Amino acid sequence: MDFSIKACDWSKGAQSGFLTGKSDCVVIGVFESQSLSGAALAIDEATKGLVTRIVKAGDMEGKAGSTLFLHEVQGIGASRVLLVGLGKQDAFTQKAYGEAVKAAWRAILGTKIVQVTFTLAQLPVKERSSDWAVRAAILALRSETYRFTQLKSKPDTTPRALKRIVFSVDSADEKAAKVAAKQGAALANGMDLTRDLGNLPGNVCTPTYLGNVAKKLAKDWKLKVEVLGQKQIEALKMGSFLSVTRGSVEPPQFIVLQYQGAGAKEAPVVLVGKGITFDTGGISLKPGEAMDEMKYDMCGAGSVLGTMRAVAEMGLKLNVVALVPTCENMPAGNATKPGDIVTSMSGTTIEVLNTDAEGRLILCDALTYAERFKPAAVVDVATLTGACIIALGHHNAGLFSKDDALAGELLDASREADDPAWRMPLDDEYQDQLKSNFADVANIGGRPAGSVTAACFLSRFTQAYPWAHLDIAGVAWKSGAAKGATGRPVPLLTQFLIDRAGQ
Ligand code: BES
Ligand code: MN
Ligand code: ZN
């Protein structure tokens, strides 16, 4: 799909050039007040009041999410007009805009329309700019068209009719909208990768598979990549990471993927992603119900790789390193047992009281490894705790950081990207729950505040740099009939990096 931007100031005269341009469909919005403005007014005038007549007849009342195609329209270059209900004008928030956009794409995707002129991004969305609206429309379309059928015996390969989308924006917004269109497509590509990796089953998306994806990304986008195997991980003395992979026959991998968009001396942002390609719980075996969903336990890794793809395609001017410790968590005769004590790369000894709290065990060694990059900031991303779902549900990701500035940046990015996160506490008082009688620290802190004690565990390995942790257990995938990966938090992470790069 090809996205482009065309400046068009509807208030300044007839815009006849724009209106006579050929396309299959022009998308315009109608508020409940039914007062036409901008593109809708211009098209109404060019079609001798057609839109007004339709509205007066009561066929389009402007109700949020309603749509109506007008066919064989005379007087403009497009053969169809799609009217989209926008709801109440004074309640036209980002949510209302999102609903209107989704309804528009659904209507269009149900037709053979190839080329669309889309004018909704010019509407005044509360507290949002036109370029934001362009990006949101691109992401909404790409999310509507995403499908995962590669493992069906007859994969869905029918091409989409829709090919070209032209966004009209005011000329003052043209430059920013062009950047937004490019970034929106890159972000969608990154999210698609993340979703694919999440949706692939554990017998396909193994640690070796993730390593190969990283190598392919490096080749396609001129990144630097190293994929360390068992021997090299042993040489690094990542005893904590290795304790998780013990029971698995799949070899572990430690992925180091580097994007250099700024001077070599500039401190990178390091992203660390949990890459458990299947989490059975290990000897502390999980119950069988919905265990299949533990194929999604590598969504942290997937989102970090998807973000690298997006950042590389955008060509952001900053340095980013992705670290992905990846392995399976399996029960076996040689698997780590509850009570076993292991030594992390940092030298800290850990009593593994529950082998199902394995994410923190692989992340802590990656966080120690991160020190060698002298990072400007480190953000780890993990489907870390069921407790985070209990605390925040499936809307907000959990954000943990002692660094107010870094937390603020991530929350700002989260709002801008419409990828919600909520700050959680990380007080030292919670550290007491991780006391071990036999080692430096235990890997679990009991039921109270389970997502907080998990973050507290990680914090012990992050003293060398500004650090934040995102627990995405509740947001990385959907369960039930719509089961599937969401691609979150790639929008948040990418926006954070866009902001850091000043782009
Ligand atoms: N991958 C899980 C967390 C998880 C569970 C994410 C369900 C999404 C849905 C993690 O490895 C885990 O098992 N955590 C345990 C920790 C506990 C043993 C302290 C949990 O949350 O139950
Ligand atoms: Mn687990
Ligand atoms: Zn896990």
Side-chain angles (χ1 to χ4, degrees), residues 372-393:
R372 68 184 56 197
F373 298 99
K374 302 199 170 34
V378 177
V379 182
D380 78 74
V381 193
T383 49
L384 201 63
T385 64
C388 192
I389 311 178
I390 303 302
L392 295 175

Side-chain angles (χ1 to χ4, degrees), residues 84-354:
V84 183
L86 305 171
K88 294 203 168 48
Q89 188 150 11
D90 56 3
F92 198 55
T93 57
Q94 85 175 43
K95 188 155 171 275
Y97 174 77
E99 275 166 24
V101 166
K102 192 164 158 187
W105 294 137
R106 286 203 172 159
I108 289 165
L109 289 167
T111 70
K112 293 266 185 294
I113 288 171
V114 176
Q115 178 165 346
V116 164
T117 304
F118 190 90
T119 71
L120 303 188
Q122 276 174 301
L123 295 164
V125 183
K126 278 206 165 73
E127 292 168 24
R128 295 294 183 192
S129 56
S130 246
D131 58 299
W132 176 90
V134 166
R135 201 185 44 201
I138 291 174
L139 289 173
L141 174 57
R142 290 286 303 268
S143 132
E144 281 302 312
T145 55
Y146 176 81
R147 46 195 170 189
F148 184 80
T149 63
Q150 53 179 283
L151 298 176
K152 301 273 192 190
S153 58
K154 296 182 187 69
D156 182 358
T157 51
T158 44
R160 296 271 179 197
L162 185 58
K163 292 242 151 45
R164 284 184 299 283
I165 297 96
V166 180
F167 292 97
S168 66
V169 298
D170 295 356
S171 35
D173 300 325
E174 187 181 3
K175 208 168 146 223
K178 281 187 170 156
V179 174
K182 181 173 177 227
Q183 293 188 341
L187 176 53
N189 290 336
M191 288 175 78
D192 281 4
L193 171 63
T194 302
R195 297 177 78 172
D196 283 350
L197 292 175
N199 288 332
L200 283 169
N203 65 331
V204 175
C205 186
T206 59
T208 306
Y209 185 94
L210 284 181
N212 289 337
V213 167
K215 286 177 192 162
K216 174 89 177 8
L217 279 177
K219 197 156 162 265
D220 292 350
W221 297 99
K222 299 196 176 63
L223 313 178
K224 198 173 144 196
V225 69
E226 284 170 281
V227 180
L228 312 183
Q230 172 92 22
K231 287 262 146 51
Q232 290 152 298
I233 299 168
E234 279 168 12
L236 285 165
K237 296 198 160 56
M238 293 184 167
S240 185
F241 176 18
L242 289 165
S243 76
V244 177
T245 190
R246 274 182 71 88
S248 170
V249 294
E250 287 291 339
Q253 310 268 269
F254 189 83
I255 301 168
V256 185
L257 186 61
Q258 302 189 55
Y259 167 76
Q260 196 187 323
K265 287 217 174 77
E266 237 169 86
V269 171
V270 177
L271 303 176
V272 181
K274 172 177 172 181
I276 296 291
T277 58
F278 198 85
D279 182 11
T280 65
I283 296 298
S284 313
L285 194 65
K286 286 184 180 294
E289 199 192 325
M291 206 209 269
D292 67 288
E293 294 188 11
M294 282 299 112
K295 72 175 183 178
Y296 289 115
D297 212 17
M298 39 52 67
C299 282
S303 65
V304 161
L305 294 175
T307 301
M308 289 303 270
R309 194 200 182 287
V311 164
E313 189 174 340
M314 291 179 190
L316 295 186
K317 294 187 178 69
L318 86 171
N319 297 332
V320 189
V321 179
L323 299 179
V324 172
T326 171
C327 68
E328 286 182 338
N329 186 22
M330 299 291 280
N334 63 339
T336 297
K337 303 169 290 298
D340 285 2
I341 293 177
V342 301
T343 305
S344 69
M345 184 181 180
S346 71
T348 299
T349 61
I350 304 164
E351 186 180 15
V352 182
L353 288 172
N354 189 318

